[in-house]
Amino acid sequence: MKAAKLQTALDKLVPDRPDFLEVYDRWVTPIYKYFLSRVGEEALAEDLTSQLFLKAYQAYPGFEQRGSVAAWLFAIARNLAMDHFRASQRKNLYLDQEFRQLQTDQDTVKNRESLILLQTALMELDSQDQELILLRYLNQLSFAEIGSIIGISEQAAKKRVYRLLSQLRSRMGAENA
Protein backbone atom coordinates (compact mmCIF):
# COMPACT_ATOMS: atom_id res chain seq x y z
CA MET A 1 0.00 0.00 0.00
CA LYS A 2 1.42 3.38 -0.92
CA ALA A 3 2.13 5.93 1.81
CA ALA A 4 -0.68 8.29 0.76
CA LYS A 5 -3.25 5.48 0.75
CA LEU A 6 -1.99 4.26 4.11
CA GLN A 7 -2.28 7.76 5.57
CA THR A 8 -5.80 8.15 4.16
CA ALA A 9 -6.79 4.83 5.70
CA LEU A 10 -5.26 5.92 9.02
CA ASP A 11 -7.11 9.24 8.92
CA LYS A 12 -10.43 7.43 8.49
CA LEU A 13 -9.71 5.12 11.43
CA VAL A 14 -8.42 7.80 13.81
CA PRO A 15 -9.23 11.28 12.47
CA ASP A 16 -7.57 13.23 15.31
CA ARG A 17 -4.27 11.39 14.99
CA PRO A 18 -1.48 13.55 13.52
CA ASP A 19 -0.12 12.75 10.09
CA PHE A 20 3.00 10.56 10.39
CA LEU A 21 5.07 13.16 8.53
CA GLU A 22 4.09 15.71 11.18
CA VAL A 23 5.18 13.26 13.88
CA TYR A 24 8.47 12.71 12.07
CA ASP A 25 9.13 16.45 11.58
CA ARG A 26 8.36 17.21 15.24
CA TRP A 27 10.34 14.37 16.81
CA VAL A 28 13.28 13.51 14.50
CA THR A 29 15.68 16.00 16.12
CA PRO A 30 14.86 15.15 19.77
CA ILE A 31 15.08 11.42 18.98
CA TYR A 32 18.42 11.92 17.22
CA LYS A 33 19.75 13.92 20.20
CA TYR A 34 18.59 11.18 22.55
CA PHE A 35 20.46 8.54 20.56
CA LEU A 36 23.53 10.75 20.20
CA SER A 37 23.66 11.26 23.96
CA ARG A 38 23.34 7.52 24.49
CA VAL A 39 25.83 6.21 21.90
CA GLY A 40 28.17 9.16 21.38
CA GLU A 41 28.62 8.58 17.65
CA GLU A 42 26.80 10.67 15.04
CA ALA A 43 26.61 7.93 12.37
CA LEU A 44 25.26 5.38 14.84
CA ALA A 45 22.75 7.90 16.22
CA GLU A 46 21.55 8.55 12.65
CA ASP A 47 21.20 4.80 12.01
CA LEU A 48 19.25 4.27 15.22
CA THR A 49 17.02 7.26 14.42
CA SER A 50 16.29 5.78 10.99
CA GLN A 51 15.52 2.40 12.53
CA LEU A 52 13.19 4.01 15.03
CA PHE A 53 11.16 5.88 12.44
CA LEU A 54 10.96 2.81 10.22
CA LYS A 55 9.59 0.80 13.16
CA ALA A 56 7.27 3.64 14.14
CA TYR A 57 5.97 4.00 10.58
CA GLN A 58 5.28 0.28 10.38
CA ALA A 59 3.53 0.30 13.78
CA TYR A 60 1.65 3.58 13.27
CA PRO A 61 -1.55 1.95 11.96
CA GLY A 62 -1.90 0.20 15.33
CA PHE A 63 -0.93 3.21 17.43
CA GLU A 64 -3.78 4.29 19.66
CA GLN A 65 -3.92 7.91 20.77
CA ARG A 66 -4.33 6.96 24.46
CA GLY A 67 -0.85 8.11 25.43
CA SER A 68 1.42 10.71 23.97
CA VAL A 69 3.28 10.25 20.71
CA ALA A 70 6.47 11.34 22.49
CA ALA A 71 6.18 8.60 25.11
CA TRP A 72 5.52 6.03 22.38
CA LEU A 73 8.52 7.14 20.30
CA PHE A 74 10.89 7.39 23.26
CA ALA A 75 9.82 3.94 24.47
CA ILE A 76 10.83 2.59 21.05
CA ALA A 77 14.06 4.62 21.24
CA ARG A 78 14.85 3.28 24.69
CA ASN A 79 14.33 -0.30 23.51
CA LEU A 80 16.51 0.24 20.45
CA ALA A 81 19.27 1.77 22.59
CA MET A 82 19.10 -1.11 25.07
CA ASP A 83 19.25 -3.60 22.18
CA HIS A 84 22.30 -1.77 20.84
CA PHE A 85 24.07 -1.85 24.20
CA ARG A 86 23.21 -5.50 24.72
CA ALA A 87 24.59 -6.33 21.30
CA SER A 88 27.78 -4.34 21.80
CA GLN A 89 27.98 -5.05 25.56
CA ARG A 90 28.56 -1.38 26.32
CA LYS A 91 26.76 -0.14 29.39
CA ASN A 92 27.94 3.41 29.95
CA LEU A 93 26.19 6.40 28.48
CA TYR A 94 28.30 8.74 26.41
CA LEU A 95 27.61 12.32 27.40
CA ASP A 96 31.04 13.57 26.36
CA GLN A 97 29.86 15.10 23.09
CA GLU A 98 27.16 17.16 24.76
CA PHE A 99 29.62 18.44 27.35
CA ARG A 100 32.29 19.20 24.75
CA GLN A 101 29.76 21.41 22.94
CA LEU A 102 28.75 23.14 26.17
CA GLN A 103 32.39 23.67 27.12
CA THR A 104 33.10 25.18 23.70
CA ASP A 105 30.25 27.64 24.16
CA GLN A 106 31.36 28.79 27.64
CA ASP A 107 33.63 31.76 28.21
CA THR A 108 34.98 31.41 31.71
CA VAL A 109 37.20 28.84 33.37
CA LYS A 110 34.81 28.65 36.32
CA ASN A 111 31.93 27.60 34.06
CA ARG A 112 34.13 24.95 32.46
CA GLU A 113 35.12 23.63 35.87
CA SER A 114 31.46 23.44 36.88
CA LEU A 115 30.63 21.58 33.67
CA ILE A 116 33.42 19.10 34.31
CA LEU A 117 32.13 18.56 37.86
CA LEU A 118 28.62 18.04 36.52
CA GLN A 119 29.85 15.60 33.88
CA THR A 120 31.78 13.65 36.51
CA ALA A 121 28.75 13.54 38.81
CA LEU A 122 26.49 12.40 35.95
CA MET A 123 28.89 9.66 34.90
CA GLU A 124 28.83 8.31 38.48
CA LEU A 125 25.09 7.71 38.19
CA ASP A 126 23.88 4.34 36.98
CA SER A 127 22.55 4.09 33.43
CA GLN A 128 18.86 4.27 34.48
CA ASP A 129 19.43 7.46 36.43
CA GLN A 130 21.42 8.97 33.55
CA GLU A 131 18.55 8.11 31.25
CA LEU A 132 16.05 9.91 33.50
CA ILE A 133 18.17 13.07 33.37
CA LEU A 134 18.52 12.77 29.58
CA LEU A 135 14.81 12.29 29.01
CA ARG A 136 13.88 15.22 31.24
CA TYR A 137 16.53 17.81 30.41
CA LEU A 138 17.98 16.90 27.02
CA ASN A 139 14.72 15.76 25.45
CA GLN A 140 12.46 17.95 27.61
CA LEU A 141 9.82 15.28 28.16
CA SER A 142 7.12 15.66 30.76
CA PHE A 143 7.13 13.53 33.89
CA ALA A 144 4.04 11.71 32.58
CA GLU A 145 5.88 10.84 29.36
CA ILE A 146 8.98 9.72 31.27
CA GLY A 147 6.86 7.57 33.55
CA SER A 148 5.13 6.00 30.58
CA ILE A 149 8.48 5.24 28.91
CA ILE A 150 10.11 3.59 31.91
CA GLY A 151 6.97 2.04 33.39
CA ILE A 152 6.39 4.12 36.52
CA SER A 153 3.82 6.71 37.54
CA GLU A 154 4.16 10.39 36.76
CA GLN A 155 4.66 11.14 40.46
CA ALA A 156 7.34 8.45 40.79
CA ALA A 157 9.18 9.86 37.76
CA LYS A 158 9.02 13.36 39.22
CA LYS A 159 10.25 12.18 42.61
CA ARG A 160 13.14 10.20 41.09
CA VAL A 161 14.28 13.15 38.93
CA TYR A 162 14.17 15.58 41.84
CA ARG A 163 16.08 13.14 44.06
CA LEU A 164 18.69 12.78 41.32
CA LEU A 165 19.04 16.55 41.06
CA SER A 166 19.51 16.78 44.82
CA GLN A 167 22.08 13.99 44.66
CA LEU A 168 23.94 15.78 41.83
CA ARG A 169 23.92 19.07 43.76
CA SER A 170 25.34 17.33 46.81
CA ARG A 171 28.08 15.62 44.79
CA MET A 172 29.02 18.86 43.07
CA GLY A 173 28.96 20.80 46.34
CA ALA A 174 31.19 18.24 48.04
CA GLU A 175 33.68 18.41 45.17
CA ASN A 176 33.73 22.22 45.26
CA ALA A 177 34.44 22.27 49.01
Side-chain angles (χ1 to χ4, degrees), residues 106-134:
Q106 300 300 322
D107 294 324
T108 66
V109 172
K110 186 173 182 166
N111 285 339
R112 287 188 184 143
E113 289 174 0
S114 295
L115 286 171
I116 290 169
L117 287 173
L118 177 59
Q119 180 181 19
T120 303
L122 282 170
M123 296 308 284
E124 291 173 357
L125 298 175
D126 67 32
S127 61
Q128 286 184 331
D129 291 342
Q130 288 177 359
E131 185 172 27
L132 283 170
I133 297 296
L134 290 173

PDB file of all heavy atoms in Angstrom, residues 106-134:
ATOM      1  N   GLN A 106      31.171  28.034  26.405  1.00  0.00           N
ATOM      2  CA  GLN A 106      31.357  28.789  27.635  1.00  0.00           C
ATOM      3  C   GLN A 106      32.588  29.678  27.551  1.00  0.00           C
ATOM      4  O   GLN A 106      33.569  29.357  26.902  1.00  0.00           O
ATOM      5  CB  GLN A 106      31.495  27.841  28.829  1.00  0.00           C
ATOM      6  CG  GLN A 106      30.278  26.953  29.031  1.00  0.00           C
ATOM      7  CD  GLN A 106      29.020  27.753  29.278  1.00  0.00           C
ATOM      8  OE1 GLN A 106      29.051  28.762  29.950  1.00  0.00           O
ATOM      9  NE2 GLN A 106      27.920  27.298  28.725  1.00  0.00           N
ATOM     10  N   ASP A 107      32.533  30.808  28.256  1.00  0.00           N
ATOM     11  CA  ASP A 107      33.630  31.762  28.214  1.00  0.00           C
ATOM     12  C   ASP A 107      34.608  31.619  29.364  1.00  0.00           C
ATOM     13  O   ASP A 107      35.807  31.790  29.207  1.00  0.00           O
ATOM     14  CB  ASP A 107      33.083  33.194  28.213  1.00  0.00           C
ATOM     15  CG  ASP A 107      32.312  33.501  26.959  1.00  0.00           C
ATOM     16  OD1 ASP A 107      32.696  33.007  25.890  1.00  0.00           O
ATOM     17  OD2 ASP A 107      31.323  34.245  27.060  1.00  0.00           O
ATOM     18  N   THR A 108      34.120  31.326  30.536  1.00  0.00           N
ATOM     19  CA  THR A 108      34.983  31.414  31.705  1.00  0.00           C
ATOM     20  C   THR A 108      35.476  30.052  32.164  1.00  0.00           C
ATOM     21  O   THR A 108      34.835  29.021  31.959  1.00  0.00           O
ATOM     22  CB  THR A 108      34.239  32.073  32.892  1.00  0.00           C
ATOM     23  OG1 THR A 108      33.187  31.202  33.291  1.00  0.00           O
ATOM     24  CG2 THR A 108      33.706  33.433  32.525  1.00  0.00           C
ATOM     25  N   VAL A 109      36.614  30.064  32.829  1.00  0.00           N
ATOM     26  CA  VAL A 109      37.205  28.836  33.370  1.00  0.00           C
ATOM     27  C   VAL A 109      36.290  28.252  34.446  1.00  0.00           C
ATOM     28  O   VAL A 109      36.106  27.040  34.532  1.00  0.00           O
ATOM     29  CB  VAL A 109      38.611  29.124  33.928  1.00  0.00           C
ATOM     30  CG1 VAL A 109      39.171  27.932  34.669  1.00  0.00           C
ATOM     31  CG2 VAL A 109      39.537  29.547  32.807  1.00  0.00           C
ATOM     32  N   LYS A 110      35.680  29.126  35.248  1.00  0.00           N
ATOM     33  CA  LYS A 110      34.809  28.653  36.322  1.00  0.00           C
ATOM     34  C   LYS A 110      33.637  27.858  35.759  1.00  0.00           C
ATOM     35  O   LYS A 110      33.282  26.813  36.297  1.00  0.00           O
ATOM     36  CB  LYS A 110      34.301  29.825  37.152  1.00  0.00           C
ATOM     37  CG  LYS A 110      33.507  29.392  38.351  1.00  0.00           C
ATOM     38  CD  LYS A 110      33.167  30.551  39.250  1.00  0.00           C
ATOM     39  CE  LYS A 110      32.411  30.026  40.449  1.00  0.00           C
ATOM     40  NZ  LYS A 110      32.319  30.969  41.510  1.00  0.00           N
ATOM     41  N   ASN A 111      33.028  28.336  34.681  1.00  0.00           N
ATOM     42  CA  ASN A 111      31.931  27.600  34.062  1.00  0.00           C
ATOM     43  C   ASN A 111      32.409  26.252  33.542  1.00  0.00           C
ATOM     44  O   ASN A 111      31.711  25.255  33.655  1.00  0.00           O
ATOM     45  CB  ASN A 111      31.304  28.404  32.927  1.00  0.00           C
ATOM     46  CG  ASN A 111      30.440  29.528  33.434  1.00  0.00           C
ATOM     47  OD1 ASN A 111      29.986  29.516  34.574  1.00  0.00           O
ATOM     48  ND2 ASN A 111      30.222  30.518  32.600  1.00  0.00           N
ATOM     49  N   ARG A 112      33.592  26.218  32.969  1.00  0.00           N
ATOM     50  CA  ARG A 112      34.134  24.953  32.463  1.00  0.00           C
ATOM     51  C   ARG A 112      34.375  23.986  33.612  1.00  0.00           C
ATOM     52  O   ARG A 112      34.095  22.797  33.504  1.00  0.00           O
ATOM     53  CB  ARG A 112      35.425  25.201  31.687  1.00  0.00           C
ATOM     54  CG  ARG A 112      35.152  25.832  30.351  1.00  0.00           C
ATOM     55  CD  ARG A 112      36.388  25.896  29.502  1.00  0.00           C
ATOM     56  NE  ARG A 112      36.058  26.599  28.267  1.00  0.00           N
ATOM     57  CZ  ARG A 112      36.853  27.414  27.649  1.00  0.00           C
ATOM     58  NH1 ARG A 112      38.063  27.636  28.099  1.00  0.00           N
ATOM     59  NH2 ARG A 112      36.468  28.010  26.544  1.00  0.00           N
ATOM     60  N   GLU A 113      34.892  24.486  34.705  1.00  0.00           N
ATOM     61  CA  GLU A 113      35.122  23.631  35.869  1.00  0.00           C
ATOM     62  C   GLU A 113      33.803  23.077  36.388  1.00  0.00           C
ATOM     63  O   GLU A 113      33.713  21.900  36.736  1.00  0.00           O
ATOM     64  CB  GLU A 113      35.855  24.403  36.962  1.00  0.00           C
ATOM     65  CG  GLU A 113      37.303  24.691  36.633  1.00  0.00           C
ATOM     66  CD  GLU A 113      37.982  25.593  37.653  1.00  0.00           C
ATOM     67  OE1 GLU A 113      37.328  26.002  38.639  1.00  0.00           O
ATOM     68  OE2 GLU A 113      39.171  25.886  37.449  1.00  0.00           O
ATOM     69  N   SER A 114      32.775  23.901  36.426  1.00  0.00           N
ATOM     70  CA  SER A 114      31.457  23.443  36.877  1.00  0.00           C
ATOM     71  C   SER A 114      30.914  22.371  35.936  1.00  0.00           C
ATOM     72  O   SER A 114      30.320  21.389  36.383  1.00  0.00           O
ATOM     73  CB  SER A 114      30.472  24.614  36.949  1.00  0.00           C
ATOM     74  OG  SER A 114      30.876  25.528  37.930  1.00  0.00           O
ATOM     75  N   LEU A 115      31.090  22.575  34.636  1.00  0.00           N
ATOM     76  CA  LEU A 115      30.632  21.577  33.672  1.00  0.00           C
ATOM     77  C   LEU A 115      31.365  20.255  33.834  1.00  0.00           C
ATOM     78  O   LEU A 115      30.774  19.181  33.736  1.00  0.00           O
ATOM     79  CB  LEU A 115      30.790  22.096  32.238  1.00  0.00           C
ATOM     80  CG  LEU A 115      29.785  23.156  31.817  1.00  0.00           C
ATOM     81  CD1 LEU A 115      30.171  23.742  30.465  1.00  0.00           C
ATOM     82  CD2 LEU A 115      28.382  22.573  31.751  1.00  0.00           C
ATOM     83  N   ILE A 116      32.642  20.324  34.107  1.00  0.00           N
ATOM     84  CA  ILE A 116      33.419  19.098  34.314  1.00  0.00           C
ATOM     85  C   ILE A 116      32.933  18.387  35.583  1.00  0.00           C
ATOM     86  O   ILE A 116      32.782  17.161  35.599  1.00  0.00           O
ATOM     87  CB  ILE A 116      34.928  19.411  34.374  1.00  0.00           C
ATOM     88  CG1 ILE A 116      35.411  19.825  32.974  1.00  0.00           C
ATOM     89  CG2 ILE A 116      35.720  18.213  34.899  1.00  0.00           C
ATOM     90  CD1 ILE A 116      36.810  20.415  32.945  1.00  0.00           C
ATOM     91  N   LEU A 117      32.670  19.154  36.640  1.00  0.00           N
ATOM     92  CA  LEU A 117      32.133  18.561  37.865  1.00  0.00           C
ATOM     93  C   LEU A 117      30.777  17.914  37.612  1.00  0.00           C
ATOM     94  O   LEU A 117      30.508  16.815  38.094  1.00  0.00           O
ATOM     95  CB  LEU A 117      32.009  19.617  38.969  1.00  0.00           C
ATOM     96  CG  LEU A 117      33.307  20.083  39.620  1.00  0.00           C
ATOM     97  CD1 LEU A 117      33.031  21.246  40.571  1.00  0.00           C
ATOM     98  CD2 LEU A 117      33.981  18.937  40.351  1.00  0.00           C
ATOM     99  N   LEU A 118      29.929  18.594  36.849  1.00  0.00           N
ATOM    100  CA  LEU A 118      28.620  18.038  36.522  1.00  0.00           C
ATOM    101  C   LEU A 118      28.773  16.764  35.703  1.00  0.00           C
ATOM    102  O   LEU A 118      28.106  15.763  35.963  1.00  0.00           O
ATOM    103  CB  LEU A 118      27.772  19.066  35.763  1.00  0.00           C
ATOM    104  CG  LEU A 118      26.407  18.583  35.291  1.00  0.00           C
ATOM    105  CD1 LEU A 118      25.547  18.118  36.471  1.00  0.00           C
ATOM    106  CD2 LEU A 118      25.701  19.683  34.509  1.00  0.00           C
ATOM    107  N   GLN A 119      29.639  16.789  34.713  1.00  0.00           N
ATOM    108  CA  GLN A 119      29.854  15.602  33.882  1.00  0.00           C
ATOM    109  C   GLN A 119      30.330  14.431  34.739  1.00  0.00           C
ATOM    110  O   GLN A 119      29.838  13.312  34.604  1.00  0.00           O
ATOM    111  CB  GLN A 119      30.870  15.894  32.792  1.00  0.00           C
ATOM    112  CG  GLN A 119      31.135  14.695  31.891  1.00  0.00           C
ATOM    113  CD  GLN A 119      32.171  14.982  30.832  1.00  0.00           C
ATOM    114  OE1 GLN A 119      32.952  15.923  30.943  1.00  0.00           O
ATOM    115  NE2 GLN A 119      32.179  14.176  29.805  1.00  0.00           N
ATOM    116  N   THR A 120      31.264  14.694  35.633  1.00  0.00           N
ATOM    117  CA  THR A 120      31.776  13.649  36.511  1.00  0.00           C
ATOM    118  C   THR A 120      30.655  13.092  37.389  1.00  0.00           C
ATOM    119  O   THR A 120      30.519  11.876  37.531  1.00  0.00           O
ATOM    120  CB  THR A 120      32.923  14.204  37.383  1.00  0.00           C
ATOM    121  OG1 THR A 120      33.936  14.714  36.522  1.00  0.00           O
ATOM    122  CG2 THR A 120      33.497  13.133  38.293  1.00  0.00           C
ATOM    123  N   ALA A 121      29.861  13.975  37.959  1.00  0.00           N
ATOM    124  CA  ALA A 121      28.746  13.537  38.812  1.00  0.00           C
ATOM    125  C   ALA A 121      27.737  12.726  38.012  1.00  0.00           C
ATOM    126  O   ALA A 121      27.236  11.703  38.496  1.00  0.00           O
ATOM    127  CB  ALA A 121      28.079  14.754  39.461  1.00  0.00           C
ATOM    128  N   LEU A 122      27.433  13.142  36.787  1.00  0.00           N
ATOM    129  CA  LEU A 122      26.490  12.397  35.948  1.00  0.00           C
ATOM    130  C   LEU A 122      27.028  11.019  35.594  1.00  0.00           C
ATOM    131  O   LEU A 122      26.287  10.037  35.582  1.00  0.00           O
ATOM    132  CB  LEU A 122      26.170  13.178  34.671  1.00  0.00           C
ATOM    133  CG  LEU A 122      25.191  14.324  34.817  1.00  0.00           C
ATOM    134  CD1 LEU A 122      25.156  15.156  33.546  1.00  0.00           C
ATOM    135  CD2 LEU A 122      23.803  13.815  35.151  1.00  0.00           C
ATOM    136  N   MET A 123      28.304  10.935  35.300  1.00  0.00           N
ATOM    137  CA  MET A 123      28.891   9.657  34.903  1.00  0.00           C
ATOM    138  C   MET A 123      28.931   8.674  36.072  1.00  0.00           C
ATOM    139  O   MET A 123      29.014   7.465  35.866  1.00  0.00           O
ATOM    140  CB  MET A 123      30.289   9.852  34.308  1.00  0.00           C
ATOM    141  CG  MET A 123      30.293  10.647  33.007  1.00  0.00           C
ATOM    142  SD  MET A 123      29.163  10.033  31.746  1.00  0.00           S
ATOM    143  CE  MET A 123      30.079   8.617  31.180  1.00  0.00           C
ATOM    144  N   GLU A 124      28.861   9.175  37.301  1.00  0.00           N
ATOM    145  CA  GLU A 124      28.833   8.309  38.475  1.00  0.00           C
ATOM    146  C   GLU A 124      27.457   7.700  38.709  1.00  0.00           C
ATOM    147  O   GLU A 124      27.316   6.741  39.461  1.00  0.00           O
ATOM    148  CB  GLU A 124      29.286   9.078  39.716  1.00  0.00           C
ATOM    149  CG  GLU A 124      30.764   9.432  39.694  1.00  0.00           C
ATOM    150  CD  GLU A 124      31.179  10.340  40.837  1.00  0.00           C
ATOM    151  OE1 GLU A 124      30.307  10.755  41.629  1.00  0.00           O
ATOM    152  OE2 GLU A 124      32.377  10.658  40.909  1.00  0.00           O
ATOM    153  N   LEU A 125      26.431   8.257  38.069  1.00  0.00           N
ATOM    154  CA  LEU A 125      25.085   7.707  38.186  1.00  0.00           C
ATOM    155  C   LEU A 125      24.989   6.417  37.380  1.00  0.00           C
ATOM    156  O   LEU A 125      25.695   6.233  36.390  1.00  0.00           O
ATOM    157  CB  LEU A 125      24.048   8.701  37.647  1.00  0.00           C
ATOM    158  CG  LEU A 125      23.930  10.045  38.352  1.00  0.00           C
ATOM    159  CD1 LEU A 125      22.946  10.938  37.600  1.00  0.00           C
ATOM    160  CD2 LEU A 125      23.494   9.868  39.791  1.00  0.00           C
ATOM    161  N   ASP A 126      24.076   5.536  37.790  1.00  0.00           N
ATOM    162  CA  ASP A 126      23.885   4.338  36.976  1.00  0.00           C
ATOM    163  C   ASP A 126      23.129   4.703  35.696  1.00  0.00           C
ATOM    164  O   ASP A 126      22.601   5.814  35.556  1.00  0.00           O
ATOM    165  CB  ASP A 126      23.183   3.227  37.764  1.00  0.00           C
ATOM    166  CG  ASP A 126      21.739   3.540  38.138  1.00  0.00           C
ATOM    167  OD1 ASP A 126      21.044   4.238  37.382  1.00  0.00           O
ATOM    168  OD2 ASP A 126      21.300   3.072  39.201  1.00  0.00           O
ATOM    169  N   SER A 127      23.088   3.782  34.762  1.00  0.00           N
ATOM    170  CA  SER A 127      22.550   4.091  33.433  1.00  0.00           C
ATOM    171  C   SER A 127      21.072   4.484  33.477  1.00  0.00           C
ATOM    172  O   SER A 127      20.642   5.346  32.714  1.00  0.00           O
ATOM    173  CB  SER A 127      22.762   2.926  32.465  1.00  0.00           C
ATOM    174  OG  SER A 127      22.098   1.771  32.922  1.00  0.00           O
ATOM    175  N   GLN A 128      20.279   3.894  34.387  1.00  0.00           N
ATOM    176  CA  GLN A 128      18.864   4.271  34.478  1.00  0.00           C
ATOM    177  C   GLN A 128      18.705   5.710  34.960  1.00  0.00           C
ATOM    178  O   GLN A 128      17.851   6.441  34.456  1.00  0.00           O
ATOM    179  CB  GLN A 128      18.114   3.329  35.417  1.00  0.00           C
ATOM    180  CG  GLN A 128      17.868   1.965  34.823  1.00  0.00           C
ATOM    181  CD  GLN A 128      17.045   1.098  35.754  1.00  0.00           C
ATOM    182  OE1 GLN A 128      17.094   1.249  36.970  1.00  0.00           O
ATOM    183  NE2 GLN A 128      16.282   0.191  35.174  1.00  0.00           N
ATOM    184  N   ASP A 129      19.512   6.097  35.928  1.00  0.00           N
ATOM    185  CA  ASP A 129      19.434   7.463  36.435  1.00  0.00           C
ATOM    186  C   ASP A 129      19.910   8.460  35.380  1.00  0.00           C
ATOM    187  O   ASP A 129      19.331   9.536  35.220  1.00  0.00           O
ATOM    188  CB  ASP A 129      20.238   7.610  37.723  1.00  0.00           C
ATOM    189  CG  ASP A 129      19.604   6.866  38.893  1.00  0.00           C
ATOM    190  OD1 ASP A 129      18.407   6.531  38.803  1.00  0.00           O
ATOM    191  OD2 ASP A 129      20.306   6.639  39.892  1.00  0.00           O
ATOM    192  N   GLN A 130      20.959   8.111  34.640  1.00  0.00           N
ATOM    193  CA  GLN A 130      21.423   8.971  33.553  1.00  0.00           C
ATOM    194  C   GLN A 130      20.315   9.135  32.519  1.00  0.00           C
ATOM    195  O   GLN A 130      20.083  10.238  32.017  1.00  0.00           O
ATOM    196  CB  GLN A 130      22.662   8.372  32.884  1.00  0.00           C
ATOM    197  CG  GLN A 130      23.910   8.442  33.712  1.00  0.00           C
ATOM    198  CD  GLN A 130      25.096   7.780  33.038  1.00  0.00           C
ATOM    199  OE1 GLN A 130      24.981   7.243  31.939  1.00  0.00           O
ATOM    200  NE2 GLN A 130      26.236   7.818  33.694  1.00  0.00           N
ATOM    201  N   GLU A 131      19.618   8.044  32.238  1.00  0.00           N
ATOM    202  CA  GLU A 131      18.549   8.106  31.250  1.00  0.00           C
ATOM    203  C   GLU A 131      17.421   9.036  31.702  1.00  0.00           C
ATOM    204  O   GLU A 131      16.877   9.796  30.900  1.00  0.00           O
ATOM    205  CB  GLU A 131      17.999   6.714  30.977  1.00  0.00           C
ATOM    206  CG  GLU A 131      16.977   6.690  29.876  1.00  0.00           C
ATOM    207  CD  GLU A 131      16.571   5.302  29.470  1.00  0.00           C
ATOM    208  OE1 GLU A 131      16.640   4.375  30.292  1.00  0.00           O
ATOM    209  OE2 GLU A 131      16.178   5.157  28.308  1.00  0.00           O
ATOM    210  N   LEU A 132      17.077   8.999  32.981  1.00  0.00           N
ATOM    211  CA  LEU A 132      16.054   9.909  33.497  1.00  0.00           C
ATOM    212  C   LEU A 132      16.444  11.364  33.267  1.00  0.00           C
ATOM    213  O   LEU A 132      15.619  12.174  32.827  1.00  0.00           O
ATOM    214  CB  LEU A 132      15.824   9.671  34.992  1.00  0.00           C
ATOM    215  CG  LEU A 132      15.000   8.467  35.373  1.00  0.00           C
ATOM    216  CD1 LEU A 132      15.067   8.239  36.873  1.00  0.00           C
ATOM    217  CD2 LEU A 132      13.567   8.637  34.925  1.00  0.00           C
ATOM    218  N   ILE A 133      17.690  11.693  33.567  1.00  0.00           N
ATOM    219  CA  ILE A 133      18.169  13.066  33.374  1.00  0.00           C
ATOM    220  C   ILE A 133      18.124  13.432  31.891  1.00  0.00           C
ATOM    221  O   ILE A 133      17.688  14.530  31.519  1.00  0.00           O
ATOM    222  CB  ILE A 133      19.594  13.235  33.947  1.00  0.00           C
ATOM    223  CG1 ILE A 133      19.609  12.991  35.462  1.00  0.00           C
ATOM    224  CG2 ILE A 133      20.184  14.591  33.590  1.00  0.00           C
ATOM    225  CD1 ILE A 133      18.808  13.977  36.282  1.00  0.00           C
ATOM    226  N   LEU A 134      18.549  12.513  31.025  1.00  0.00           N
ATOM    227  CA  LEU A 134      18.523  12.774  29.580  1.00  0.00           C
ATOM    228  C   LEU A 134      17.105  13.003  29.072  1.00  0.00           C
ATOM    229  O   LEU A 134      16.854  13.940  28.302  1.00  0.00           O
ATOM    230  CB  LEU A 134      19.150  11.612  28.808  1.00  0.00           C
ATOM    231  CG  LEU A 134      20.650  11.431  28.954  1.00  0.00           C
ATOM    232  CD1 LEU A 134      21.077  10.137  28.276  1.00  0.00           C
ATOM    233  CD2 LEU A 134      21.376  12.604  28.350  1.00  0.00           C
TER     234      LEU A 134
END
